């Protein structure tokens, strides 16, 4: 064994787009490689891709491995930061409350702006600024000690028993459906937890965070991704919070708060009930929106939301509800109001930036909408994307007393798009898939993951795109959303949550073959593998009972709308 430990092996390190060959002793960890060969990365490297496979820094490296380090301000590194921060907070709460975990319950509920809304369910504990200050101080103390996040392999049955003793019911239900007999458990200063995903090497990597009381809970405020500092004053998005609480109530009504409970419903034969009740709740919400539009005599409905939120199906279903009230909806695509190609702005890389609001001919949009709202007959443009200019084919539009315009576009909620229009004529709708379902008490399901899975399936079905292509373009899609959609969500008069409680069991059978098709040599392989692992938590369902007008049909196909 001594001879094996002293054996020299070769590595290829990718450093600043250059490859450096180095030699290390067998069983050397990635952390030692950082310390000895790229010490400038000590405070920023949190993991590494070894032969395109993500590994933590405590893992040993193999001979001839290609190593590319992962940094804390990358998308993956920031996810590691968030998970580690949650574990740090859970440990601090345990220390401050100083009682067995079975006597209280901490729940990481959902993303709320730049933080996570959390609850401490305990009849004896009141969420006060003083309590949060104590928890924050304990978190900072552990950061200063630079404690390691230690990973240990335990048997699934052993941890299921331990979680039961700690009254972590969601975790117990989740593990009932785990196929693997072993599982990775993270430990911080003796506190054990299960997390979906890797952690930072130690608490010393955590910099910015805050705890802010809000409503009947508090918000774990996340830092700026680039600076890792909380360089802003946290303000909760009130409208978003309201719709999330409503969706939480839906989950409680359906008796489904976590994935384990959802799987229980499926095994007990309640899949169809879940589908029918969920669809009824969604149809009622759409009907309520239509009723408000009619009651308030709105003439221009503006709809915006991030990619794969189901905007097309929502628009169609809203139009049907408006027709049921005797109103004639006229759909208008905001894309028909692009500037001429020669006037389109360019981004920092010199590429045409079609997602910028400066790519829109807002003067023309304002003029056409104002004249329509004034009762004039207006010739409407169509944008020819092949030649890059607007064309007029004689199509004219005039609003009657029972007519309403329905316009969808990424800038529909931006005040600049409607600043010249009478506000009392406009009704703004924000739509997004704001999932109320979590893996367990402490592991959220990312809304972004749900939308990406939807996008992969729809792109393959309607555009012939591979999962690899969709995954590789996703960061660009998200960047556009963060710049042009999310900042204006609170401008909406109403928020429509398009998340469907049964959608991951439904979409599983469609997306898994696409994800398995991603090659190990692809830059999209890690993400494909991560999503496949995530889908393992869900049991599949038969989609035959999904209604033809369901929002799910926009992605899995077989619906009654053209999408």
């Amino acid at each position: 064994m001594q001879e094996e430990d002293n054996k020299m092996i070769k590595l290829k390190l990718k450093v600043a787009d250059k490859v450096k060959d180095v030699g290390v002793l067998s069983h050397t960890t990635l952390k030692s490689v950082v310390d000895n060969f790229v010490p400038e990365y000590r405070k920023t490297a949190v993991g590494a891709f070894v032969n395109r496979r993500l590994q933590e820094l405590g893992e040993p490296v193999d001979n001839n491995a290609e190593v590319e380090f992962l940094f804390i301000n990358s998308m993956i590194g920031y996810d590691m930061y968030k998970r580690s921060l949650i574990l740090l907070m859970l440990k601090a709460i345990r220390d401050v409350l100083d009682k067995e975990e079975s006597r209280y319950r901490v729940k990481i509920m959902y993303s709320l702006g730049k933080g996570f809304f959390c609850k401490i369910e305990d009849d004896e504990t009141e969420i006060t600024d003083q309590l949060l200050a104590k928890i924050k101080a304990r978190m900072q103390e552990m950061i200063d000690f630079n404690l390691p996040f230690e990973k240990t392999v335990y048997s699934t049955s052993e941890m299921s028993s331990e979680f039961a003793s700690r009254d972590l019911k969601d975790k117990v239900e989740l593990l009932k459906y785990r196929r693997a007999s072993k599982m990775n458990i993270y430990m911080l200063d003796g506190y054990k937890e299960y997390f979906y995903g890797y952690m930072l090497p130690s608490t010393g990597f955590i910099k910015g965070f805050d705890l802010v009381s809000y409503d009947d809970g508090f918000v774990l405020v996340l830092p700026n991704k680039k600076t890792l500092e909380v360089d802003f004053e946290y303000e909760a998005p009130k409208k978003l919070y309201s719709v999330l609480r409503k969706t939480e109530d839906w989950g409680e009504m359906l008796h489904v708060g976590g994935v384990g409970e959802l799987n229980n419903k499926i095994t007990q034969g309640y899949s169809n009930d879940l589908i029918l009740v969920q669809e009824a709740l969604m149809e009622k919400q759409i009907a309520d929106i239509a009723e408000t539009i009619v009651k308030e005599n709105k003439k221009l409905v503006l709809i915006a939301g991030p990619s794969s939120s189901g905007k097309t199906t929502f628009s169609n279903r809203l139009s049907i509800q408006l027709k049921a009230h005797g109103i004639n909806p006229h759909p208008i695509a905001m894309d028909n109001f692009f500037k001429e190609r020669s006037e389109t702005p360019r981004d920092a890389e010199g590429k045409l930036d079609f997602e910028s609001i400066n790519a829109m001919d807002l003067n023309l949009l304002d003029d056409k909408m104002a004249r329509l709202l004034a009762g004039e007959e207006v010739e409407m443009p169509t944008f020819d994307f092949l030649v890059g200019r607007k064309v007029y084919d004689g199509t004219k539009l005039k609003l009657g007393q029972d007519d309403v315009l329905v316009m969808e576009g990424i800038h529909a909620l931006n005040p600049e798009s409607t600043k010249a229009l009478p506000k009392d004529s406009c009704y703004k709708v924000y739509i997004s898939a704001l999932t109320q379902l979590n893996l367990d008490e402490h592991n959220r399901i990312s809304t972004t993951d749900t939308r990406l899975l939807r996008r992969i399936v729809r792109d393959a079905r309607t555009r012939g795109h591979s999962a690899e292509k969709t995954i590789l373009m996703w960061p660009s899609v998200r960047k556009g959303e963060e710049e042009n959609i999310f900042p204006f969500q609170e401008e909406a008069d109403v928020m429509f949550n398009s998340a469907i409680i049964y959608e991951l069991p439904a979409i599983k059978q469609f997306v898994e073959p696409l994800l398995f098709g991603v090659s190990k040599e692809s830059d999209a392989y890690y993400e494909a593998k991560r999503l496949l692992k995530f889908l393992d938590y869900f049991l599949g369902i038969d989609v035959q009972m999904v209604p033809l007008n369901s929002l799910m049909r926009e992605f899995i196909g077989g619906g009654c709308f053209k999408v």
Side-chain angles (χ1 to χ4, degrees), residues 177 261-276 539-541 545:
Y177 299 95
E261 291 176 325
L262 176 60
N263 287 335
N264 286 342
K265 292 285 186 183
I266 294 171
T267 59
Q268 293 164 9
Y270 292 117
S271 300
N272 289 344
D273 285 352
L274 276 180
I275 292 172
L276 294 173
L539 299 180
I541 62 171
M545 286 296 293

Side-chain angles (χ1 to χ4, degrees), residues 207-269:
K207 294 183 180 180
F209 72 94
D210 201 0
L211 300 177
V212 178
S213 61
Y214 188 71
D215 198 24
D216 57 350
F218 64 96
V219 177
L220 172 61
V221 180
L222 303 173
N224 182 305
K225 179 181 173 182
K226 294 181 179 179
T227 65
L228 297 182
E229 298 288 349
V230 180
D231 49 11
F232 55 88
E233 184 175 349
Y234 177 78
E235 184 176 352
K238 296 179 181 179
K239 292 179 181 177
L240 178 63
Y241 177 68
S242 177
V243 74
L244 286 168
R245 287 305 293 257
K246 184 175 182 180
T247 308
E248 180 188 340
D249 293 341
W250 284 7
E252 291 178 357
M253 183 175 63
L254 293 168
H255 304 291
V256 177
V259 173
E261 291 176 325
L262 176 60
N263 287 335
N264 286 342
K265 292 285 186 183
I266 294 171
T267 59
Q268 293 164 9

Side-chain angles (χ1 to χ4, degrees), residues 161-172:
S161 297
E162 178 170 331
F163 289 143
S165 70
R166 291 162 59 182
D167 202 31
L168 296 174
K169 298 175 183 177
D170 287 357
K171 279 184 166 57
V172 175

Side-chain angles (χ1 to χ4, degrees), residues 460-474:
R461 182 176 61 81
T462 64
R463 301 177 181 177
H465 289 180
S466 65
E468 176 185 38
K469 183 171 183 176
T470 301
I471 289 171
L472 292 178
M473 70 179 288
W474 191 242

Side-chain angles (χ1 to χ4, degrees), residues 46-47 70 76-84 198-200:
V46 294
L70 174 75
I76 298 172
Y78 191 54
D79 284 341
M80 294 167 70
Y81 188 105
K82 289 185 282 188
R83 281 190 292 271
S84 303
Y198 288 154
M199 292 286 185
L200 298 175

Side-chain angles (χ1 to χ4, degrees), residues 156 160 171-179 260 264 268:
T156 302
S160 182
K171 279 184 166 57
V172 175
E173 293 300 317
L174 183 70
L175 295 183
K176 279 171 56 177
Y177 299 95
R178 182 177 176 84
R179 294 183 177 91
N264 286 342
Q268 293 164 9

